[in-house]
Structures are given as C-alpha cells and as structure tokens.
C-alpha cells in the first residue's frame, strides 16, 4: 500500500498503537499523548483511533449520529458504543457541569455516563489537534473495535471482551482468531501487551489497524455516509 497505517486505542498509560509500514511487521508502542502518536508516524500515515472525533453542538436520540447507526449492528455488543454528549458537555470542567450541559443540549435530555466522562480528556486531546491542524482530518479517522470485529466476523460477536470489568478469555480468543484470519501475525495478537495497557487494549488497537488498512484500500464504510461535520469542520463519522 505504500503508506504507514496505525490502529490506536486509549489505555491506562495513554495510547496504545499498532502500526505497520510497507513490507514490515506491525509494531506495538505506548505513548502518553496523542500528539506523540501522530509525531511518531510519517506525515502521510493513516490512523484509525477508537475515540470519538467531532463534537456536535446538540445531540439527538441515541447520541451522535455515528453511534446511533453503529449500535444496532452490534447485537449484544452494542453497549460498547457510548453516547457522547455535545461539545459543551465534553468541554465541561467537572462531572456535574458536564451533566448540566448535556441535559441542556440533548433531545431527549440526557446526562453523561461516568464511563463516557472519563474519556473526555482523551477526546479533547484529539479535538485540539484537529482544530489546530485541520489537514489531520484527512488521515485521522474515528473507528470502533467492535465494529471492526463485526465486519471481520460477518456479524455481531457472541462473546464480550470483558465480564464484570475483567478480561474474558473466550471473548479475547474469539477476537484473536478474527485478527489472525485478517492477516495479523499470531505473535502480535497473542502477545503480552506493553506496560500500561491491557490485553483488550492490544486487541482493540489491532482491530483499528485492520480498519486503517481498509481505509487505505478504499474499502472502509463510514457511518454516516458521507460523514457529517461539526462546527469546526471536523468530520463526524465512525469508520468500519
């Protein structure tokens, strides 16, 4: 394909990256900041990241448009798709202010889940980069691991990755098998994740790498198609 591709997922230490260059085996790395992820890759690389990108001013039923479109495709795994609130809520300084802003900018009115709230700093990291350099929107794409796995599987997966917040062996193995079938090396998908990342983070980064490959080949699908745009012109779509 001639370009570097990378799948990126948030993790305890920051961001875990599965990157692959032309004719090379994938490499795994962890970076503290998303800016470091971008700086470590060539300027024409394609990145698929498991993090919401593009923040509308108001939110309709089911969250942003991409979430409402992806969720029904995932069957029992649809709870993995969080409802991301408006830009005002994501930018709020604390949880109570975020909930108040979300209630005021959603229809029907909806507060913010604690799980989603903890993602806000990472969402804002990417948002700040894209607002500072709009050209990055041409190579940084929002993805979703369960959407990638669903495409690889030809349908929603039967096993979750986690049960009661703990890694779920059958679910992880199911996803490893799909990644192997997609052409990723067994020592990558069965390997030990780097410090600061869990086994599910590693597999999610690999799933996003597969999506980056699909984007580079022109085979990925955006939800919606074409992508929407927020007030800053940032695309609002999940690619699978």
């Amino acid at each position: 394909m001639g370009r570097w591709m990378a799948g990126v997922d948030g993790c305890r230490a920051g961001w875990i990256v599965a990157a692959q260059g032309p004719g090379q085996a994938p490499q795994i790395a962890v970076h503290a900041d998303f800016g470091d992820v971008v700086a470590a890759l060539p300027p024409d690389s394609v990145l698929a990241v498991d993090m919401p990108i593009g923040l509308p001013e108001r939110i309709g039923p089911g969250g942003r448009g991409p979430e409402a479109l992806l969720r029904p495709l995932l069957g029992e795994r649809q709870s993995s798709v969080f409802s991301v609130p408006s830009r005002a809520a994501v930018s709020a300084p604390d949880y109570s202010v975020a909930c108040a802003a979300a209630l005021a900018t959603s229809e029907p009115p909806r507060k913010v889940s604690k799980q989603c709230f903890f993602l806000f700093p990472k969402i804002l990291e990417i948002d700040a980069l894209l607002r500072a350099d709009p050209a990055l929107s041409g190579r940084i794409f929002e993805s979703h691991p369960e959407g990638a796995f669903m495409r690889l599987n030809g349908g929603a997966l039967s096993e979750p990755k986690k049960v009661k917040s703990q890694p779920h062996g059958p679910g992880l193995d199911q996803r490893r098998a799909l990644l192997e079938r997609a052409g990723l090396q067994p020592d990558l998908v069965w390997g030990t994740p780097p410090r600061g990342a869990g086994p599910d983070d590693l597999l999610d980064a690999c799933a996003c790498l597969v999506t980056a490959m699909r984007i580079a080949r022109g085979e990925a699908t955006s939800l919606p198609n074409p992508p929407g745009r927020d007030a800053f012109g940032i695309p609002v779509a999940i690619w699978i």
Side-chain angles (χ1 to χ4, degrees):
M1 284 175 232
R3 301 172 71 180
W4 276 79
M5 294 153 290
V8 189
D9 186 42
C11 63
R12 293 189 311 278
W15 303 88
I16 181 171
V17 183
Q20 184 169 20
Q24 299 187 35
Q27 306 169 11
I28 300 296
V30 170
H31 296 278
D33 302 305
F34 195 80
D36 295 337
V37 174
V38 175
L41 293 164
D44 65 343
S45 55
V46 176
L47 291 78
V49 56
D50 177 23
M51 197 59 59
I53 296 175
L55 299 169
E57 303 304 303
R58 296 194 62 84
I59 299 295
R64 299 179 311 151
E67 294 141 16
L69 292 171
L70 176 60
R71 199 174 281 118
L73 304 179
L74 300 183
E76 295 181 8
R77 307 281 76 79
Q78 61 183 276
S79 62
S80 65
V81 183
F82 297 151
S83 292
V84 180
S86 66
R87 176 175 292 280
V90 175
S91 303
D94 59 46
Y95 182 66
S96 62
V97 176
C99 284
L103 285 170
T105 55
S106 58
E107 183 60 45
R110 182 178 181 135
K111 292 184 179 180
V112 179
S113 73
K114 276 291 183 69
Q115 285 177 303
C116 190
F117 176 74
F118 292 136
L119 296 178
F120 288 0
K122 284 185 163 55
I123 295 173
L124 292 173
E125 267 193 76
I126 299 176
D127 184 71
L129 284 175
L130 295 181
R131 288 171 62 181
D133 185 357
L136 289 175
S137 291
R139 62 188 189 91
I140 297 176
F141 301 86
E142 177 181 349
S143 185
H144 196 286
E146 288 305 299
F149 286 125
M150 179 269 297
R151 290 210 67 157
L152 292 175
N153 192 51
L157 274 66
S158 58
E159 296 282 351
K161 286 180 297 191
K162 286 187 172 182
V163 174
K164 296 182 179 179
S165 300
Q166 297 300 313
H168 180 56
L172 297 181
D173 289 350
Q174 185 180 31
R175 287 158 179 78
R176 290 178 177 118
L178 290 170
L179 292 170
E180 280 193 77
R181 195 183 309 164
L184 298 190
Q185 291 87 342
D187 60 347
L188 172 69
V189 300
W190 291 89
T192 301
R195 180 177 297 180
D200 55 319
D201 300 324
L202 173 62
L203 297 182
D204 284 353
C206 289
C208 289
L209 172 59
V210 172
T211 297
M213 294 174 176
R214 293 178 58 83
I215 293 169
R217 294 195 298 261
E219 298 172 356
T221 299
S222 73
L223 301 172
N225 184 16
R229 299 271 174 173
D230 72 7
F232 292 91
I234 297 172
V236 184
I238 295 174
W239 291 78
I240 59 173

